[in-house]
Structure formats: C-alpha cells, structure tokens
C-alpha cells in the first residue's frame, strides 16, 4: 500500500482546493505538538509530568500535569511562526492575543479526558480554527464565531495508536503515527460514519437528573427491537475523543445532555462541541444540543458549556424528536 505522509496529503489538497499555506502550516504545527504530547503520554507514570497539578482551570476542573505540558507545547509551537492572531485554550482563563498581522484564530482543548490518563484510557487533543473576525473590536469579538464558520477542525487521539483526524471542509481524513519513522501517514481517506449505528455513549449515572425526553430515547436505544436495529451496545469510556472516534468509525451516538442540575451539560462549545460537530457533519453525521444544530449556535463566551448529541444523523434526529415532545 502506498504510504502517503501528512505532508504529501497537504500538498495534494493544496493543489486540489487551494488550502491556504498558512492554514496548512498551522495544521503541521498541531501535528508537531501531537508528536511532543504523544511522547509524554506513552511514558506517563515514569516522568515528573505525571499526576495532578493541584490547580483548577477556567472551568473549575482539576488540572493534570500533562494538561499543562500539552497546553504549553501547543502554545509554544503555535506562537513560534507568526501564523496565529489569537489563541484560546481550555486551560487558559483569558483569550491570548498573538500576532496581530496573522489571519487565524485557534481554540483547543490540549488534553481532553486527562482524568483518565492514569488508568490508560485514550485521551485526545481537540482543535478548532477560524479566520479572525475582522469586524471584532476586542480579542473576544475577533474570536467568538458560530461553528459553521470554522475553516478547519480536528483532534489527535492518543490511544492504541495515535491518529490525527481533521477536516478543512472537503472531507474527513485520518493519519496514523508510525513511531519507527516519526511520521503520520494517511490511514483513513475520507471517513464517513457508517449508516448502521452500533453504539450509544452516555453517562447513565446522570439519569436521575435527565429530562424525560432523554430518558425515553435511551430506553428506545436499549429496547428489544431488532427491526429498528435496537438494542444498541453501550460504550462509554468517559473520554470524549475516544467515544467520538469509535462512533465515527463504527457508527453510533454520543450524548452529554443538559440536565436539571446542569442545563448546559458539561462539554464546551468552542473547543469540544464545534470542532467535533464540523468533523461529524463532514462525515455525514449530525451534532445537536437536542434542539438546535451545534454549528448554528452564536457563542457568548469562550468557555461556555453546551449539551452535545453527536453521531449518526438518524439517531440525532430521534433524540431531537423525543426532546421536543417530552414535557420537562
Ligand atoms: P463524565 C472529560 O473530562 C470530559 O470532558 C470528556 O472527555 C468526557 O466525555 C466527559 O468529560 C466525561 O464526563 O461526567 O461522564 O465523567
């Protein structure tokens, strides 16, 4: 099988649809950051980058030392080449102005699922890229745009293998890292979510606080109804990138719904829901809050939380139909 490096792929894409060179170079930078992060993830437990950093982030969540390492790695690489005008990170309270002459804004979750890192569950880096909103007067106004205006998005999953998945609006591509060569090679050419769903992913510990519509649709997904392909199998590892990637490749739906205790759920719109929604739609799936398309949401805050229902289009439609009809 001809092995196409991520570099060769980008050159091909540049020829096909004029992917701007600055955008390609930002994707390269993220790829390089992924190599640096992978190096620490795969020896976690053997270095001083292991364990809790004993600080909390902008969302009040405890931070692992590897979160800080990943965040610092991405920031240092992205600020080194003057291609990024503004950065925002889950691990940073404030938006970070960079090179005012640059065209791109990048938002990222440097190491999603890091609370699982000590138990060897896959974790991931998630990123979302926009053109600077030139009408904005402040860094926030220049940054906050609907997910439908992303120019690229993706993630790197550090699992049994390390895979970088991205879209720039012309399909979804995956590249697997070969540590013997230190290079990412094309392994998933134009990913599309399978028509038949196999899995549903949700934290059923949330059930007591779920809305009636959410409870009802989960009962449907678990019902003995082979004609409609039910029951689906439950798969939930508690790492968004791992759960999303499995469902993208095998077919399924991931739900982190709003509840009576947390009406906006847990996940963040700008650097978790939006980038995965862009990828999912490019792969033929859907992403919703349960009532609204994720990519249509007008953001109000860089760290705002949002309910996320993402995966096979027909299953997302089913959840929306239950959410709309249920009496809260
Ligand atoms: P819960 C990890 O903290 C994360 O942000 C996602 O990666 C994951 O899907 C979710 O939270 C798990 O949350 O409440 O089920 O433990």
């Amino acid at each position: 099988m001809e092995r196409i490096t991520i570099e060769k792929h980008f050159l091909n894409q540049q020829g096909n649809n004029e992917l701007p060179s600055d955008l390609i170079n930002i994707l390269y930078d993220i790829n390089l950051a992924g190599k640096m992060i992978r190096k620490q993830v795969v020896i976690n437990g053997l270095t001083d980058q292991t364990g809790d950093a004993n600080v909390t982030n902008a969302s009040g969540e405890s931070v692992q030392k590897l979160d800080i390492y990943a965040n610092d790695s991405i920031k240092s690489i992205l600020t080194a080449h003057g291609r990024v005008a503004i950065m925002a990170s889950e691990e940073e309270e404030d938006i970070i102005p960079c090179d005012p002459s640059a065209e791109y804004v990048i938002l990222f979750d440097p190491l999603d699922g890091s609370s699982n890192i000590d138990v060897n569950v896959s974790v991931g880096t998630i990123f979302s890229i926009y053109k600077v909103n030139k009408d904005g007067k402040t860094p926030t106004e220049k940054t906050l745009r609907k997910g439908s205006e992303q120019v690229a998005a993706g993630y790197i999953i550090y699992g049994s293998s390390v895979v970088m998945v991205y879209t720039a609006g012309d399909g979804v591509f995956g590249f697997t890292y070969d540590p013997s060569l230190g290079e990412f090679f094309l392994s998933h050419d134009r990913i599309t979510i399978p028509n038949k769903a196999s899995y549903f992913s949700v934290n059923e510990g949330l059930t007591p606080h779920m809305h009636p519509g959410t409870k009802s649709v989960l009962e449907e997904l678990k019902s003995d109804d082979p004609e409609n392909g039910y029951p689906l199998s439950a798969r939930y590892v508690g790492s968004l990138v791992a759960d999303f990637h499995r469902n993208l490749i095998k077919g399924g739906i991931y739900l982190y719904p709003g509840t009576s205790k947390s009406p906006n759920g847990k996940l963040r719109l700008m650097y978790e829901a939006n980038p995965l929604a862009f990828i999912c739609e490019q792969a033929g799936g859907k992403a919703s809050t349960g009532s609204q398309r994720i990519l249509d949401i007008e953001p109000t805050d860089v760290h705002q939380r949002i309910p996320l229902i993402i995966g096979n289009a027909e299953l997302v439609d089913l959840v929306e139909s239950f959410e709309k009809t249920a009496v809260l």
Side-chain angles (χ1 to χ4, degrees):
M1 176 173 88
E2 184 204 357
R3 298 187 87 183
I4 298 174
T5 64
I6 195 165
E7 175 184 22
K8 175 82 169 114
H9 166 83
F10 282 137
L11 290 175
N12 293 343
Q13 288 302 95
Q14 196 169 17
N16 299 344
N17 57 8
E18 287 85 51
L19 264 190
S21 57
D22 267 5
L23 178 56
I24 287 176
N25 284 313
I26 290 173
L27 290 168
Y28 268 137
D29 288 344
I30 294 166
N31 189 249
L32 175 58
K35 292 178 185 177
M36 292 171 67
I37 296 165
R38 171 209 162 270
K39 272 186 70 176
Q40 292 300 322
V41 166
V42 297
I43 56 170
N44 182 59
L46 299 176
T47 73
D48 59 3
Q49 299 292 352
T50 302
D52 201 309
N54 297 317
V55 296
T56 55
N57 65 16
S59 302
E61 293 173 339
S62 71
V63 175
Q64 300 292 304
K65 289 178 184 172
L66 264 183
D67 285 313
I68 296 171
Y69 173 81
N71 190 52
D72 291 346
S73 301
I74 296 171
K75 287 196 303 182
S76 64
I77 288 175
L78 289 176
T79 47
H81 302 127
R83 298 183 190 106
V84 172
I86 296 172
M87 283 194 289
S89 167
E90 180 191 46
E91 303 307 337
E92 304 281 347
E93 175 80 33
D94 302 318
I95 287 170
I96 306 167
C98 303
D99 187 321
S101 65
E103 276 190 87
Y104 292 99
V105 174
I106 181 162
L107 304 100
F108 52 90
D109 182 352
L111 201 63
D112 179 75
S114 58
S115 56
N116 294 298
I117 193 83
D118 291 341
V119 293
N120 270 57
V121 168
S122 302
V123 292
T125 298
I126 312 173
F127 61 91
S128 172
I129 304 174
Y130 296 81
K131 284 274 186 84
V132 172
N133 181 355
K134 296 199 185 310
D135 299 333
K137 306 268 186 304
T138 66
T140 298
E141 289 175 1
K142 291 173 190 263
T143 300
L144 296 185
R145 305 179 78 167
K146 291 193 292 189
S148 55
E149 297 177 77
Q150 292 172 95
V151 294
Y155 57 87
I156 301 171
I157 180 168
Y158 310 98
S160 51
S161 61
V162 175
V163 180
M164 176 165 167
V165 175
Y166 93 99
T167 185
D170 179 27
V172 179
F173 301 90
F175 303 82
T176 298
Y177 184 68
D178 180 340
S180 68
L181 297 172
E183 183 57 88
F184 281 82
F185 292 91
L186 183 65
S187 50
H188 301 71
D189 192 358
R190 294 192 183 278
I191 299 172
T192 53
I193 194 165
N195 290 328
K196 184 179 180 311
S198 300
Y199 303 113
F200 74 96
S201 307
V202 68
N203 178 349
E204 296 211 63
L206 298 172
T207 303
H209 309 293
M210 284 181 188
H211 297 317
T214 312
K215 292 181 190 175
S216 303
V217 74
L218 289 174
E219 288 313 305
E220 172 125 346
L221 299 181
K222 294 188 278 188
S223 64
D224 185 12
D225 179 1
E227 271 183 39
N228 284 307
Y230 303 143
L232 299 182
S233 294
R235 290 285 188 285
Y236 189 76
V237 293
S239 185
L240 172 61
V241 174
D243 283 318
F244 174 77
H245 186 69
R246 178 198 54 250
N247 293 350
L248 179 71
I249 301 298
K250 297 287 188 183
I253 187 167
Y254 172 100
L255 306 92
Y256 209 105
T259 65
S260 54
K261 280 180 79 172
S262 304
N264 291 320
K266 174 181 183 182
L267 303 176
R268 273 48 62 99
L269 171 64
M270 294 305 292
Y271 42 79
E272 290 172 333
N274 270 336
L276 298 187
F278 188 13
I279 287 179
C280 197
E281 288 198 3
Q282 281 284 311
K286 276 191 175 181
S288 167
T289 63
S291 59
Q292 185 182 2
R293 181 188 179 224
I294 291 286
L295 297 183
D296 287 341
I297 293 169
E298 200 67 56
T300 55
D301 180 85
V302 72
H303 298 297
Q304 78 182 76
R305 297 178 190 271
I306 198 81
L308 179 62
I309 317 294
I310 187 168
N312 286 77
E314 68 186 50
L315 291 179
V316 173
D317 290 343
L318 183 72
V319 173
E320 287 190 340
S321 67
F322 273 86
E323 299 282 343
K324 279 178 189 142
T325 52
V327 176
L328 294 189

